[in-house]
Amino acid sequence: MTEHTIQIAGRPIGPDHPPYVIAEISANHNGSYEMALKIMEAAKEAGADAVKIQTYTADTITLDCDDDAFRIKGGLWDGRTLHDLYQEAHMPWEWHAPLFEHARALGITLFSSPFDPSAVDLLDSLGAPAYKIASFEAVDTPLIRYAASKGKPMIISTGMADAEEIGDAIAAARAGGCEQLAILHCVSGYPAPARDYNLRTIPDMIARFGLVTGLSDHTLDNTTAVASVALGVSVIEKHFTLDRSAGGPDDSFSLEPRDLAELCRSSRTAWEALGKVDYGCKSSEQGNIQLRRSLYFVKPLRKGDVIAADAVRSVRPGYGMAPKHLDLVVGKRVSADVSYGTPVTPDVLS
């Protein structure tokens, strides 16, 4: 593998492979273990490569504090305290083991975002094949170093992080021992407008940091994600739910099953369309190459006649000489009788 390729659960991820599509369950289980199972099954059916969850409790991610600083202002969760929101949204830790077991039975990769060292330890004990660092934790370099110490591939989202902070997060991962690392361009708005994504940042990230690079997409449709494939992303992460109107904390900006299936198809088609630099005739064109224009006689001529300009035209099909040779043909003599509709070929010129 080069520094531009990593592997998660045996699946190579990088520019030479189709985009790795991650369905983020987040809080869309809405407190139901059965719902979490159904979302995972729907992600598999839609063609996602992986399902991602989040591993925290309200007490490991924030404080149970009603001070103004701990209360959300604006947006989807306006007025709620952080502790109250995360208490509702968290994935119960006792679900983790059976969820990993169910993922193995389904044949889909499951990994998680840990939000503190105890979450890293839990995931390590369950054999999680990778760790994802969320954008809000990208500045928590001690957490990144600790997750990296487990020796698994890591993905770091970069929402809100500037270039220096991204560099710090990468350095922390490397210092912790992470050898397989990817970063995701991200806008931490929920939802985020497409105009905020500035996708031209992606090629710069690839050149600047030299890592497998992807997109964590919080827009409401697939346009931004599919467009990013042309700019070099190798990973696409989208929030996923069974029903966008179900009322959960993240449902309203998540993809539904048919949308996820379309993302999987379209992103892989976009990747296939990138191909390589190739100016040659393509396999699908072979049957049509003779339908191109070429030179044909449009008047009957006798052997030895001079070919006048009005005796030859560029028409379809392509069995004659290329039209670029017209000036060389006019003024030549024919070496044999020709009839209307005869292709102009070198053997009839003298």
Side-chain angles (χ1 to χ4, degrees), residues 102-187:
H102 192 62
R104 285 190 288 271
L106 284 174
I108 192 168
T109 298
L110 175 65
F111 59 97
S112 183
S113 291
F115 289 81
D116 82 311
S118 68
V120 174
D121 290 340
L122 172 64
L123 295 169
D124 186 50
S125 72
L126 295 172
Y131 297 102
K132 161 73 188 300
I133 301 298
S135 288
F136 290 76
E137 278 59 46
V139 293
D140 191 343
T141 51
L143 173 63
I144 293 172
R145 281 196 300 273
Y146 188 68
S149 73
K150 302 301 182 180
K152 304 291 181 62
M154 291 182 65
I155 300 172
I156 301 175
S157 270
T158 63
M160 302 172 292
D162 59 27
E164 181 180 356
E165 290 169 330
I166 295 171
D168 290 343
I170 293 169
R174 294 305 196 199
C178 179
E179 297 181 355
Q180 298 192 64
L181 181 61
I183 54 176
L184 304 185
H185 179 50
C186 179
V187 177

Side-chain angles (χ1 to χ4, degrees), residues 188-208:
S188 295
Y190 304 95
R195 64 178 176 273
D196 279 358
Y197 261 87
N198 296 303
L199 293 181
R200 289 188 176 92
T201 306
I202 290 166
D204 185 78
M205 291 175 71
I206 295 169
R208 184 186 298 250

Side-chain angles (χ1 to χ4, degrees), residues 143-315:
L143 173 63
I144 293 172
R145 281 196 300 273
Y146 188 68
S149 73
K150 302 301 182 180
K152 304 291 181 62
M154 291 182 65
I155 300 172
I156 301 175
S157 270
T158 63
M160 302 172 292
D162 59 27
E164 181 180 356
E165 290 169 330
I166 295 171
D168 290 343
I170 293 169
R174 294 305 196 199
C178 179
E179 297 181 355
Q180 298 192 64
L181 181 61
I183 54 176
L184 304 185
H185 179 50
C186 179
V187 177
S188 295
Y190 304 95
R195 64 178 176 273
D196 279 358
Y197 261 87
N198 296 303
L199 293 181
R200 289 188 176 92
T201 306
I202 290 166
D204 185 78
M205 291 175 71
I206 295 169
R208 184 186 298 250
F209 300 112
L211 297 173
V212 171
T213 301
L215 181 76
S216 181
D217 181 18
H218 297 143
T219 63
L220 293 176
D221 60 26
N222 291 329
T223 305
T224 300
V226 175
S228 74
V229 176
L231 294 170
V233 304
S234 300
V235 181
I236 297 172
E237 179 186 68
K238 291 280 280 189
H239 284 250
F240 180 55
T241 186
L242 297 183
D243 182 359
R244 196 178 257 185
S245 64
D250 296 347
D251 279 322
S252 64
F253 58 87
S254 299
L255 296 184
E256 293 179 334
R258 65 179 180 180
D259 304 313
L260 180 61
E262 180 56 36
L263 173 64
C264 292
R265 286 191 296 269
S266 296
S267 63
R268 288 160 188 162
T269 298
W271 175 81
E272 288 177 354
L274 288 175
K276 61 184 179 181
V277 177
D278 181 5
Y279 293 101
C281 188
K282 312 306 181 292
S283 61
S284 60
E285 297 176 319
Q286 292 295 334
N288 292 328
I289 194 168
Q290 297 302 337
L291 296 180
R292 297 193 298 179
R293 300 180 80 93
S294 68
L295 299 179
Y296 272 76
F297 289 105
V298 293
K299 288 185 176 181
L301 299 175
R302 303 296 298 270
K303 180 179 178 179
D305 284 351
V306 174
I307 303 171
D310 64 354
V312 179
R313 282 180 54 196
S314 168
V315 297

